[in-house]
Amino acid sequence: MARKPLGPIRRTFLPWDDPGEQPFIEFRNITKRFGSFVAVNDLSLKIYEREFHALLGGSGCGKTTLMRLLAGFEQPTSGQIFLEGNDLAGVPPYKRPINMMFQSYALFPHMNVEKNIAFGLEMDGLSGKEIRSRTHEMLSLVKLEGFRKRKPHQLSGGQRQRVALARSLAKRPKVLLLDEPLAALDKKLREETQLELINLQEQLRLTFLIVTHDQEEAMTVADRISVMDKGSILQNATPGEIYEQPNSRFVAEFIGDINVLDGQITRKHREDVQLFSSVLGGHLSVRYPTSADVGDHAALAIRPEKMRISFEKPEDQSTNAIQGEVWDIAYMGDVSIYHIKVAETETLRAIVANTTRLVERPISWDDQVWLSWDSDAGIILTR
């Protein structure tokens, strides 16, 4: 039976929205302490079969510790970890149907590609015929058939990464853990490999859990992202929800670029909110559902690509508009990022796509311009 295209599968893969769906992996009230330091703090998380899940956060947030707990390299101070409904307490790493691909790749320098991939199979005592069959299958899967006799030092960084991936998959684990797997690759190769990982995961129908500090990587590969800080999950949602509907200032500022304007709610009617900004000295209109009420302090968060920049003030009175001065311009090739000083202590960013070849810049440094955006372009943050 032919495989369905990748796109439709990922668009309709939403097991977390089905109350009857049982989690494949479950962290239940997990706490992990190293002396007085709390690396993971009473964390609960459900991951579903065939899901590509990302743990995203800065250094020291607890994401790698959580992965090591699942692998069995660390034991929780309290709480339980389940795989297919079975408690993993007391199960050693080598008996868990889980494999891990390390950031350093950990390839044996004295072994060629073929031997590196076959190593785990040999340790498991498989027959020579089965080892050869699986090794060939993995070499074909990662497109390294012509490199089987090369040593790691004879390979590029991307090829070494593929060997490590093939070795991790050779034992046919139920779960593959990826610890910053693409960190050593250059930007272009990293982007290509991200798409290859997506296709590989869907083809093998496995559950992948990736640890990364790279927000773009998480947004590209994951079905869902858990944003972590100080041992806790701040938000667990799809990439689109994380980006467009962050639940806190930390998540909003960690994922992508964003403008945040603090203020106080002065009027509210259903989803229509009016926010007074003391820095700007004016009211801002926001259409966004919020539990905050009149008199509460809140913030307007708006992505730079949702802001428009022009010389003339927009005629539409329902559009938010602020006048400012072009303070700086960052030319990125595909887009230009304008830094607009709108108050003595406030600078906002607007992203403009460079849809034509740059001959001369219509809006330049020190120009007086208007920044504008629709009322439904931003969101209200209360924490």
Side-chain angles (χ1 to χ4, degrees), residues 224-290:
R224 286 191 304 163
I225 300 171
S226 291
V227 181
M228 295 186 64
D229 184 47
K230 298 178 182 177
S232 299
I233 293 176
L234 302 185
Q235 187 170 1
N236 175 29
T238 64
E241 290 168 330
I242 292 281
Y243 188 81
E244 299 292 355
Q245 299 174 348
N247 64 1
S248 66
R249 185 184 293 239
F250 180 92
V251 174
E253 293 178 341
F254 192 84
I255 302 290
D257 197 6
I258 199 160
N259 297 300
V260 180
L261 289 165
D262 290 297
Q264 186 176 30
I265 295 176
T266 57
R267 184 174 62 82
K268 179 181 177 183
H269 177 66
R270 297 179 181 174
E271 294 185 357
D272 291 320
V273 178
Q274 191 173 73
L275 191 77
F276 178 76
S277 168
S278 58
V279 172
L280 301 178
H283 288 89
L284 305 171
S285 298
V286 191
R287 179 169 293 175
Y288 190 78
T290 177

Side-chain angles (χ1 to χ4, degrees), residues 175-193:
V175 181
L176 181 64
L177 309 180
L178 301 152
D179 184 14
E180 302 274 10
L182 312 180
L185 305 182
D186 62 68
K187 180 176 174 59
K188 184 174 179 59
L189 185 56
R190 188 163 64 246
E191 291 173 350
E192 293 173 354
T193 308

